[in-house]
Amino acid sequence: MTTRCLMLSGGVGGAKLALGCARLLGDKELTIVANVGDDFWHLGLRICPDLDTLMYTLSGRVNTDSGWGRADEGWRFLECLAELGGPDWFRLGDRDLATHVLRSQRLRAGEPLSRITADFCRRLGTGQRLLPASDDPVATRVHGNGELLDFQDYFVRLRAKPAVSAIDYAGAENAQPAPGLLATLADRQLEAIVIAPSNPWLSIAPILAIPGIRQALRDSPAPVIAVSPIVAGRALKGPTAKIMAELGLEASATAIARYYRDLLDGFILDAADGSLAGELQAGGLPVRESNTIMNTLDDKRRLAAECLEFAAELRAGRR
Ligand code: FO1
């Protein structure tokens, strides 16, 4: 299969579909745009979880149990940190630490995140193009329990327990899309844009909040397809369903499709939600049913292939 594809991704679910796509397509055909709203400074280090999850997943180095961090990890640094009274709630492994130390040093020396990421990917043997959504800082912040919480404080330290009343993306309004991103979206050879089954509010919205990206998605010659992260009212992973309820939304694939509606040319929902397809289609949104649970590499490849086939059908329908 040859298809030029761009994927918007955040977190573990996004990285799984990105791996499926990477296994189907040639390196040069796939661009993955990673959420940077989870990025933060911790212990003097710049941590970029979604970029690293993608980089480790695509290069075969990810810890497949947690879905983040490196496989075969050691925790001596964290043990010693705790011994000295340091913050050990965010688990930085010994191997993973090398990424954060070197990235932080290079950022401090003035190199842009996109260039550092491209260099790390090349050295780890990842041929796909992995782009941070922006080289500028964007910080997802959660308003919960009357407090304004930094994303990792909310997500990891407080285990996503506080009820969310609002979410903002600090810095997004002044951030520029990463170099080359808008040009890729405008490229007439781009054939598919896939919004991965990541959390729309925590992973995808910080990308869409960067001026120019939403419009470029709308104007792109390629069809935009989203894969629902909600199956039968539950999140594939993480607190998506909980957050939807807290924001006053029904936790359903329909609500996800409505959230992205102004961007979408097609929507993939799980076969378990097949009964919801009719209403969406009646509203003018082409829908495809699939098995969206990605446990094995075959699952990831199959779902990726369905996204690309669906995009091809939508392109053919436009001609
Ligand atoms: N997620 C956790 O739930 N607990 C952790 O201690 C943790 C550490 C961590 C270290 C490096 C890294 O790249 C990711 C890490 N994550 C951790 C995942 C991170 O919180 C991600 O932002 C989420 O998975 C959401 O995408």
Side-chain angles (χ1 to χ4, degrees):
M1 182 178 284
T2 63
T3 307
R4 292 219 179 178
C5 176
L6 180 142
M7 184 178 294
L8 304 186
S9 172
V12 175
K16 285 182 174 183
L17 188 58
L19 179 62
C21 245
R23 289 291 172 272
L24 289 178
L25 300 178
D27 286 351
K28 299 282 170 279
E29 292 177 322
L30 180 58
T31 298
I32 303 150
V33 179
N35 171 38
V36 292
D38 294 17
D39 298 6
F40 73 131
W41 286 99
H42 182 63
L43 297 165
L45 301 173
R46 188 66 175 165
I47 317 287
C48 305
D50 288 353
L51 269 180
D52 291 349
T53 296
L54 282 160
M55 186 170 76
Y56 294 153
T57 300
L58 294 170
S59 69
R61 285 171 172 80
V62 80
N63 175 337
T64 49
D65 292 332
S66 59
W68 52 264
R70 290 184 67 137
D72 194 21
E73 189 54 283
W75 302 99
R76 288 188 175 194
F77 164 76
L78 204 73
E79 283 159 22
C80 296
L81 186 79
E83 205 171 29
L84 295 171
D88 63 348
W89 58 270
F90 195 79
R91 298 179 59 76
L92 293 179
D94 301 340
R95 288 171 183 268
D96 189 27
L97 204 51
T99 304
H100 311 308
V101 169
L102 197 59
R103 173 168 50 219
S104 307
Q105 189 212 25
R106 290 174 67 164
L107 284 171
R108 285 198 179 95
E111 247 188 281
L113 181 60
S114 53
R115 201 161 79 206
I116 302 168
T117 305
D119 184 44
F120 284 179
C121 284
R122 186 180 58 77
R123 288 171 188 274
L124 296 182
T126 304
Q128 297 77 27
R129 180 160 165 247
L130 176 56
L131 278 182
S134 177
D135 280 333
D136 304 315
V138 175
T140 300
R141 300 182 309 180
V142 170
H143 301 247
N145 292 352
E147 278 184 279
L148 181 57
L149 299 163
D150 290 338
F151 177 77
Q152 297 296 347
D153 244 4
Y154 159 77
F155 193 82
V156 175
R157 193 173 65 78
L158 300 172
R159 295 164 198 267
K161 282 192 184 132
V164 175
S165 54
I167 303 170
D168 68 43
Y169 311 102
E173 62 284 3
N174 297 317
Q176 304 267 345
L181 173 51
L182 295 185
T184 304
L185 287 171
D187 187 344
R188 299 224 67 82
Q189 298 197 343
L190 187 66
E191 293 165 290
I193 298 172
V194 179
I195 302 179
S198 305
N199 183 314
W201 292 271
L202 299 182
S203 294
I204 304 297
I207 304 177
L208 300 178
I210 297 166
I213 295 185
R214 184 177 272 277
Q215 192 59 44
L217 286 165
R218 282 209 203 104
D219 295 345
S220 176
V224 180
I225 289 167
V227 181
S228 177
I230 294 284
V231 175
R234 299 175 59 151
L236 289 172
K237 192 173 190 306
T240 311
K242 176 178 173 285
I243 289 174
M244 290 179 84
E246 290 162 357
L247 294 177
L249 299 165
E250 179 192 65
S252 69
T254 312
I256 301 286
R258 286 206 189 104
Y259 179 72
Y260 289 132
R261 186 64 188 98
D262 64 317
L263 293 175
L264 291 188
D265 297 294
F267 186 62
I268 296 190
L269 47 65
D270 196 86
D273 289 320
S275 61
L276 305 176
E279 187 195 335
L280 291 170
Q281 270 163 334
L285 178 66
V287 174
R288 185 156 170 157
E289 287 174 38
S290 179
N291 175 4
T292 60
I293 314 272
M294 294 178 281
N295 291 324
T296 65
L297 182 58
D298 266 356
D299 294 338
K300 293 165 195 149
R301 249 193 316 239
R302 186 194 28 73
L303 183 56
E306 296 215 27
C307 291
L308 300 177
E309 279 164 26
F310 191 25
E313 277 172 29
L314 293 168
R315 282 198 314 277
R318 283 178 180 179
R319 282 189 211 119

Coordinates of all heavy atoms in Angstrom, one line a residue, residues 61 106 118-126:
R61 N 11.2 0.4 21.0 CA 11.8 0.5 22.3 C 10.8 0.7 23.5 O 11.2 0.9 24.6 CB 12.8 1.6 22.3 CG 14.1 1.3 21.6 CD 15.0 2.6 21.5 NE 16.3 2.3 20.9 CZ 16.5 2.1 19.6 NH1 15.6 2.1 18.8 NH2 17.8 1.8 19.2
R106 N 20.0 20.4 24.8 CA 20.0 21.0 23.4 C 19.0 22.1 23.3 O 19.2 23.1 22.6 CB 19.7 19.8 22.4 CG 20.9 18.9 22.3 CD 20.7 17.7 21.4 NE 20.5 18.0 20.0 CZ 20.5 17.1 19.0 NH1 20.8 15.9 19.3 NH2 20.3 17.5 17.8
A118 N 13.8 15.1 15.4 CA 14.2 14.4 14.1 C 15.5 13.7 14.3 O 15.7 12.6 13.8 CB 14.2 15.5 13.0
D119 N 16.4 14.4 15.0 CA 17.8 13.8 15.2 C 17.7 12.5 16.1 O 18.2 11.5 15.7 CB 18.7 14.8 15.8 CG 20.1 14.3 15.9 OD1 20.6 13.7 15.0 OD2 20.7 14.4 17.0
F120 N 16.9 12.6 17.1 CA 16.7 11.4 18.0 C 16.1 10.2 17.2 O 16.5 9.1 17.3 CB 15.8 11.7 19.2 CG 16.5 12.5 20.3 CD1 15.7 12.9 21.4 CD2 17.8 12.9 20.2 CE1 16.3 13.6 22.5 CE2 18.4 13.7 21.3 CZ 17.6 14.0 22.4
C121 N 15.1 10.6 16.4 CA 14.4 9.5 15.6 C 15.4 8.9 14.6 O 15.4 7.6 14.5 CB 13.2 10.1 14.8 SG 11.8 10.4 15.9
R122 N 16.2 9.7 14.0 CA 17.2 9.1 13.0 C 18.1 8.2 13.8 O 18.4 7.1 13.3 CB 17.9 10.3 12.4 CG 18.9 9.9 11.3 CD 19.6 11.1 10.7 NE 20.3 11.9 11.6 CZ 21.5 11.6 12.1 NH1 22.1 10.5 11.7 NH2 22.1 12.3 13.0
R123 N 18.6 8.6 14.9 CA 19.6 7.8 15.7 C 19.0 6.5 16.2 O 19.6 5.5 16.3 CB 20.2 8.6 16.8 CG 21.1 9.7 16.3 CD 21.5 10.6 17.4 NE 22.3 11.8 16.9 CZ 23.6 11.8 16.7 NH1 24.3 10.7 17.0 NH2 24.2 12.8 16.3
L124 N 17.6 6.6 16.5 CA 17.0 5.3 17.0 C 16.4 4.5 15.8 O 15.8 3.5 16.0 CB 15.8 5.7 17.9 CG 16.3 6.4 19.2 CD1 15.1 6.7 20.1 CD2 17.3 5.6 20.0
G125 N 16.7 5.0 14.6 CA 16.3 4.2 13.4 C 14.8 4.3 13.0 O 14.3 3.4 12.4
T126 N 14.2 5.4 13.5 CA 12.8 5.6 13.1 C 12.7 6.4 11.8 O 13.1 7.6 11.9 CB 12.1 6.4 14.3 OG1 12.3 5.6 15.4 CG2 10.6 6.5 14.0

